[in-house]
Amino acid sequence: MAENLLLQALSGLASASSLFLVAAGLTVIFGVTRIVNFAHGSLYMLGAYLAWTLVTALPRGPLGFWGGVLGAALLVGLIGVLVEVLLLRRIYRAPELFQLLATFGVVLIVQDLALLVWGPQDLLGPRAPGLRGSVEILGLRFPLYDLFLIAVGPAVLGLLLLLFHRTRWGTLVRAATQDREMVGALGVNQRLLFTSVFFLGACLAGLGGALQLPRESVNLHMDLAIIVEAFVVVVVGGLGSLVGAFLAALLIGELHAFGILVFPRITLVLVFLVMAVVLVLRPHGLLGRPPEAPPAGAGGAEPPLRPAPPALRRLGAAALAAAVLLPPFADAYALSVLTEMAIFVLFAASLHFIMGPGGMASFGHAAYFGLGAYAAALLAKWAAAPMAAGLLLAPFAAGLFGLLFGWFCVRLSGVYAAMLTLAFAQIAWSVAFQWVEVTGGDNGILGVWPDAWAADPLAYYYLTLAFCLGATLLLRRVLHAPFGYALRAQRDSPLRAEALGVDAFQVRWLAFSLAALAAGIAGGFFAYAKGSVFPTALSIPRSVDALLMVLLGGVRTLSGPIVGAIAFTGLQEQLMRLVELWRLALGAVIVALVLFFPQGLAGAARAAYERRHGPAGA
Amino acid sequence: MSDTILETEGLTKEFRGFVAVSDVDLRVRRGTIHGLIGPNGAGKTTCFNLLTKFLQPTRGTIRYDGRDITGKKPAEVARLGLVRSFQISAVFPHLTVLENVRVALQRQRGGSFDFWRSETLLRQYDDRAMALLEDVGIAPYAHLQAGELPYGRKRALEIATTLALDPVMMLLDEPTAGMAHEDVDRIVALVKRVSAGRTVLLVEHNLRVVAGLCDTITVLTRGRVLAEGDYASVSRNPEVIAAYLGTEADKVGVPQHV
Ligand SMILES: Nc1ncnc2c1ncn2[C@@H]1O[C@H](COP(=O)(O)OP(=O)(O)OP(=O)(O)O)[C@@H](O)[C@H]1O
Ligand SMILES: [Mg+2]
């Protein structure tokens, strides 16, 4: 028994090492550039693929293998430089959510490029020459390569610390981590510094990926799998802290190793629970420091809300008339797309509610959408309840979890808030994914069909339209009501709001829960529209969809999320139907959006309108 | 009803060993205008932050209107009628000037958790808000975005917002800083007018304002109370002259803080 535990601990250490390599790069990059690089997992994956190509192409033997691994790391470093120069350099001053989104666009692009180059099948690499066998520890066999990996973690940490403390470049990096402006003032070439830091971080990610070659097969899911874990490690350790990342990697590695033994069913939840607990107890991670300036919400400068100008009202009325009058002439496919649009309009509006006027960042809004969907589906599956009951339960369940998760999330701001919302969403996702008996796991819940009276797609469309549009208009109304003013007031100046007796925490908490409830309504209708629910309903890509809709439309206008949801749903639908590499296209659209259209479609339309007519409404 | 509305005992605040406010016993009489003066860095703003609970004191107690408020939250204190303004003007930059005041009005009438917009309610707020803006002289800017106001007008807006809460006691941190001459006179007149039936605690560098307004003055240096009394006695106190007015004692009443 004791031997088993020791081996488990050792294999935990081995995983911790690779996790640390990735997390170290992520945290160093964040420390200097303040960018949370979603694409870091993609760099890791590219490291593994490139290592496979190099190692299989180079002559067999130690030189070929290790040369391949190091070559892959360097190549990934160069790819990182490319990403930095072409994209990130232009968005260092953008709001955090834009940065997260832009790097997520890179994730999508790399996924399809990797698919193009290496194909969909898993690739197996050779074992490491000289480290093929295993050693005997307390009578049990342990792979030699894992032992080697255990040593790699501390070795890299030591080298990095030496680099940062013993070289001029390292001193500059540390100075920049503490105070970005100061380095600019010192007359250091900031661009070069940022690019070189990105090179180093990307190399580390590539090395982490390349070193996985002898351990596991290379596949297209490596990127998201590792990035979420690396986020956890970096956030738990404290953003920007190398030693913190190392400690957190050990913690998470061991948690995985022993979690499997003790709670085999909830290993995934465990990791995110630990992260949530750490963030609640130490809002800036184990060794992190609070950010210099409280980061603003996702909005940036925002004009006051004004009643919609006549032109917009007329446009809205026309769109509504079209949404009501045209569908009887639509075919089944068009109807399903229209239903989805109505659902996503509400989903996007609920996210906008907290992001724009609320000034809070959420990277896990799909949690509440998915919880609504699962609540409806579970009720249908286990209680054979009528549709009305499911649709009613959906917002309640989502709202309740909104209250619970929100109580933690709204205390934090900026990146940490985004990460905590992400963590809670991943907890929800893990439960749906791992609790197979109840949720069906990856197979989802099937047969969630509307009752007879709403079974006709047209009838269901009208039902969805009525409720989703109604809820969207209600949210809009709340924003113009006293609560909406309190919400925007606390976003603009929390101190001033407190001084006026507005309890900023309560206002944020309630707004968060209200948004969750609204997302739950959307989720319930989504379940019955699709006839099924899968864990993807609460996954990261779903959260990103919502963010894209909001940003596509524009954060700063109330009509933004509506326009954005319609545009996004239409766009994605067409892309998936017509373009083989739709991820690549979508990723490119995201990147272009962030670079050239930061105020979104409705924002751009509004700017154009104001140029002609003077200040207008939202 | 006791004569003292606000009273502190041994109020102390340390920042990592640095004592910003040290053992301050402050008594503010109900219905008076009480001045808090002192050189830069004396601890005046820190005192305000302690009194309004934006900072937790290291030691000491605060009693307001007969109850101990040492453990309360800022929003709770505000709801008890103890309302402050900020030295660095704090407005809601992305709301209009009118909306800034309205947020305070709706809070004062208990409407911050009102999810429904009722036109009559909002109109009622608007009328009152306009009257307040009129009072501080920025009514013509009602529909401008507050962030676009020049500095002095922002201060005026802050006072209007504070007044909107109909406070029992107002804490004003340098209300006239950065204002043009005629605006200063307007604010002085305003403070005098609205102080009827209220208590005001005022931090000011402009001694002309202090002399004209305050019934009692407390002088703070390096976190400690140096002297207390009416303007005439305080301005004659040699210690005050040495600490605060420096060598320019002859210019009492003129020095203008920059
Ligand atoms: N949060 C803080 N952390 C550390 N020191 C602080 C903090 N707030 C204030 N101090 C220090 O406490 C002292 C008193 O500051 P305070 O702002 O209260 O002075 P003041 O009397 O309002 O000055 P002024 O006339 O310039 O407004 C100063 O030395 C200041 O540096
Ligand atoms: Mg001050």
Side-chain angles (χ1 to χ4, degrees):
Chain A
M1 189 60 203
E3 303 86 359
N4 263 325
L5 287 184
L6 179 73
L7 280 201
Q8 205 66 26
L10 284 177
S11 89
L13 286 181
S15 336
S17 271
S18 10
L19 202 50
F20 170 67
L21 286 189
V22 180
L26 198 59
T27 212
V28 169
I29 288 176
F30 176 84
V32 174
T33 66
R34 295 292 184 277
I35 285 211
V36 177
N37 180 21
F38 224 119
H40 213 65
S42 309
L43 297 174
Y44 167 85
M45 180 172 82
L46 283 177
Y49 272 116
L50 286 170
W52 182 86
T53 301
L54 289 177
V55 170
T56 45
L58 290 172
R60 285 172 158 270
L63 206 65
F65 182 86
W66 298 111
V69 165
L70 290 181
L74 288 176
L75 275 177
V76 172
L78 291 179
I79 294 172
V81 168
L82 205 67
V83 172
E84 199 271 347
V85 170
L86 291 181
L87 173 62
L88 299 181
R89 181 174 282 187
R90 292 159 215 276
I91 56 170
Y92 282 135
R93 303 217 166 267
E96 287 120 2
L97 281 179
F98 274 76
Q99 300 172 339
L100 267 175
L101 259 181
T103 52
F104 188 79
V106 175
V107 171
L108 292 177
I109 293 173
V110 170
Q111 261 179 4
D112 263 359
L113 287 182
L115 176 67
L116 260 185
V117 176
W118 286 284
Q121 69 283 20
D122 286 17
L123 303 178
L124 278 173
R127 301 283 201 71
L131 296 172
R132 276 172 225 264
S134 51
V135 283
E136 208 156 288
I137 299 176
L138 297 178
L140 291 170
R141 304 178 71 76
F142 189 75
L144 207 54
Y145 189 73
D146 280 15
L147 219 49
F148 160 75
L149 275 186
I150 292 178
V152 167
V156 169
L157 175 68
L159 284 176
L160 285 175
L161 287 179
L162 273 182
L163 182 66
F164 287 140
H165 288 265
R166 291 291 155 80
T167 65
R168 186 181 128 73
W169 181 82
T171 313
L172 282 177
V173 169
R174 277 189 304 134
T177 306
Q178 313 236 320
D179 184 350
R180 228 190 331 173
E181 309 307 321
M182 195 187 81
V183 176
L186 284 177
V188 173
N189 185 339
Q190 206 168 341
R191 289 194 150 193
L192 200 61
L193 185 70
F194 281 26
T195 309
S196 57
V197 163
F198 217 87
F199 175 75
L200 175 71
C203 278
L204 286 171
L207 183 65
L211 285 176
Q212 284 303 305
L213 200 55
R215 274 189 112 200
E216 54 181 302
S217 65
V218 185
N219 62 61
L220 290 167
H221 304 291
M222 293 174 80
D223 52 353
L224 280 189
I226 193 90
I227 191 62
V228 173
E229 298 243 306
F231 274 162
V232 173
V233 166
V234 167
V235 167
V236 166
L239 282 165
S241 163
L242 209 52
V243 180
F246 185 72
L247 293 178
L250 290 184
L251 179 70
I252 299 298
E254 291 303 326
L255 202 66
H256 263 308
F258 286 103
I260 293 258
L261 290 183
V262 189
F263 310 105
R265 316 306 310 269
I266 57 159
T267 44
L268 293 170
V269 181
L270 218 54
V271 171
F272 294 105
L273 269 182
V274 166
M275 163 163 161
V277 168
V278 168
L279 278 188
V280 168
L281 295 180
R282 292 189 60 94
H284 305 293
L286 293 177
L287 299 182
R289 256 174 318 213
E292 303 124 36
E302 169 168 311
L305 297 183
R306 294 203 168 88
L312 186 64
R313 278 170 196 244
R314 278 197 294 276
L315 200 67
L320 184 63
V324 173
L325 296 178
L326 294 185
F329 309 102
D331 60 12
Y333 168 73
L335 267 182
S336 85
V337 174
L338 284 174
T339 308
E340 212 166 289
M341 276 184 184
I343 290 169
F344 284 139
V345 163
L346 176 57
F347 184 32
S350 70
L351 176 61
H352 171 264
F353 187 76
I354 48 175
M355 265 174 71
M360 299 175 250
S362 174
F363 217 84
H365 201 55
Y368 312 99
F369 180 84
L371 280 165
Y374 266 97
L378 287 171
L379 200 67
K381 179 178 176 186
W382 295 105
M387 179 176 79
L391 291 181
L392 198 66
L393 182 69
F396 269 104
L400 219 60
F401 277 98
L403 277 173
L404 177 70
F405 295 164
W407 193 79
F408 299 103
C409 296
V410 304
R411 285 157 199 277
L412 304 181
S413 56
V415 179
Y416 284 95
M419 288 297 132
L420 194 58
T421 48
L422 179 68
F424 280 123
Q426 286 301 104
I427 290 177
W429 177 83
S430 319
V431 171
F433 188 76
Q434 280 193 317
W435 201 9
V436 180
E437 297 89 337
V438 174
T439 63
D442 212 9
N443 296 323
I445 301 171
L446 306 177
V448 191
W449 295 113
D451 294 352
W453 60 272
D456 176 49
L458 188 63
Y460 191 76
Y461 164 72
Y462 279 127
L463 187 72
T464 311
L465 184 70
F467 274 86
C468 289
L469 215 58
T472 305
L473 291 176
L474 277 181
L475 282 181
R476 199 184 160 106
R477 175 131 191 154
V478 169
L479 285 180
H480 285 290
F483 181 78
Y485 284 101
L487 184 64
R488 284 182 291 138
Q490 65 77 33
R491 170 203 65 193
D492 271 11
S493 169
L495 286 186
R496 187 73 187 125
E498 290 280 343
L500 294 179
V502 175
D503 191 327
F505 168 76
Q506 272 181 18
V507 169
R508 289 157 72 93
W509 189 28
L510 247 128
F512 192 93
S513 310
L514 199 64
L517 187 142
I521 298 179
F525 277 98
F526 186 73
Y528 278 101
K530 294 281 168 190
S532 55
V533 180
F534 300 98
T536 48
L538 4 80
S539 61
I540 296 176
R542 177 67 77 207
S543 290
V544 170
D545 285 353
L547 280 170
L548 276 179
M549 292 177 212
V550 172
L551 296 182
L552 185 64
V555 190
R556 296 172 207 172
T557 49
L558 285 189
S559 40
I562 300 175
V563 177
I566 293 172
F568 176 82
T569 318
L571 184 75
Q572 196 188 33
E573 204 64 45
Q574 294 312 313
L575 279 180
M576 285 171 87
R577 240 161 43 124
L578 302 178
V579 188
E580 191 101 8
L581 300 170
W582 65 270
R583 278 192 204 86
L584 184 78
L586 186 61
V589 168
I590 295 176
V591 169
L593 188 69
V594 170
L595 281 182
F596 307 116
F597 252 118
Q599 43 170 229
L601 294 179
R606 181 198 177 108
Y609 181 89
E610 287 187 354
R611 267 198 301 279
R612 280 186 294 134
H613 300 270
Chain B
M1 208 147 72
S2 114
D3 190 36
T4 305
I5 186 166
L6 185 79
E7 183 175 16
T8 69
E9 244 180 57
L11 197 61
T12 302
K13 180 70 192 179
E14 293 175 8
F15 294 111
R16 295 203 200 104
F18 171 76
V19 188
V21 171
S22 166
D23 213 11
V24 167
D25 299 330
L26 190 70
R27 275 167 158 267
V28 180
R29 272 186 301 127
R30 194 181 293 276
T32 60
I33 301 183
H34 192 124
L36 189 60
I37 64 172
N40 291 134
K44 306 178 296 289
T45 298
T46 307
C47 254
F48 267 31
N49 285 335
L50 290 170
L51 295 175
T52 48
K53 304 311 305 159
F54 281 86
L55 286 175
Q56 193 55 29
T58 313
R59 274 187 301 283
T61 55
I62 308 164
R63 294 184 69 76
Y64 164 72
D65 213 5
R67 63 184 110 192
D68 190 331
I69 59 162
T70 318
K72 294 227 180 300
K73 288 195 287 184
E76 291 174 334
V77 174
R79 274 175 254 154
L80 291 174
L82 180 62
V83 185
R84 70 174 295 178
S85 71
F86 290 85
Q87 177 174 1
I88 300 168
S89 67
V91 297
F92 304 121
H94 302 130
L95 302 188
T96 65
V97 170
L98 187 74
E99 287 169 350
N100 262 266
V101 182
R102 209 159 74 180
V103 168
L105 282 172
Q106 69 181 35
R107 221 299 296 142
Q108 205 261 325
R109 296 176 192 187
S112 281
F113 291 100
D114 194 339
F115 293 96
W116 197 250
R117 169 175 56 148
S118 130
E119 298 296 342
T120 46
L121 181 79
L122 293 189
R123 201 158 325 115
Q124 186 192 331
Y125 289 150
D126 283 353
D127 293 346
R128 178 84 186 102
M130 277 315 284
L132 284 161
L133 292 179
E134 205 76 64
D135 265 353
V136 297
I138 53 170
Y141 312 103
H143 296 287
L144 224 60
Q145 209 169 325
E148 292 166 4
L149 287 181
Y151 186 74
R153 303 235 153 87
K154 274 191 192 146
R155 313 245 22 148
L157 173 58
E158 249 213 289
I159 295 175
T161 316
T162 309
L163 280 175
L165 290 177
D166 195 13
V168 179
M169 177 167 180
M170 296 202 307
L171 275 59
L172 303 176
D173 199 345
E174 303 196 24
T176 65
M179 280 192 184
H181 226 57
E182 58 280 11
D183 291 332
V184 171
D185 293 340
R186 177 200 288 283
I187 295 301
V188 169
L190 179 71
V191 171
K192 202 168 237 164
R193 185 150 54 78
V194 301
S195 69
R198 303 179 213 280
T199 314
V200 178
L201 183 61
L202 181 75
V203 168
E204 246 318 330
H205 276 289
N206 185 336
L207 291 183
R208 194 166 55 86
V209 172
V210 177
L213 276 177
C214 298
D215 304 299
T216 315
I217 292 164
T218 300
V219 185
L220 218 57
T221 52
R222 303 206 190 133
R224 295 183 169 278
V225 176
L226 185 69
E228 195 172 291
D230 61 9
Y231 184 75
S233 75
V234 163
S235 62
R236 275 197 309 271
N237 183 322
E239 268 189 291
V240 174
I241 295 174
Y244 183 43
L245 306 170
T247 53
E248 296 181 280
D250 51 331
K251 287 195 195 151
V252 168
V254 188
Q256 188 85 43
H257 174 59
V258 217

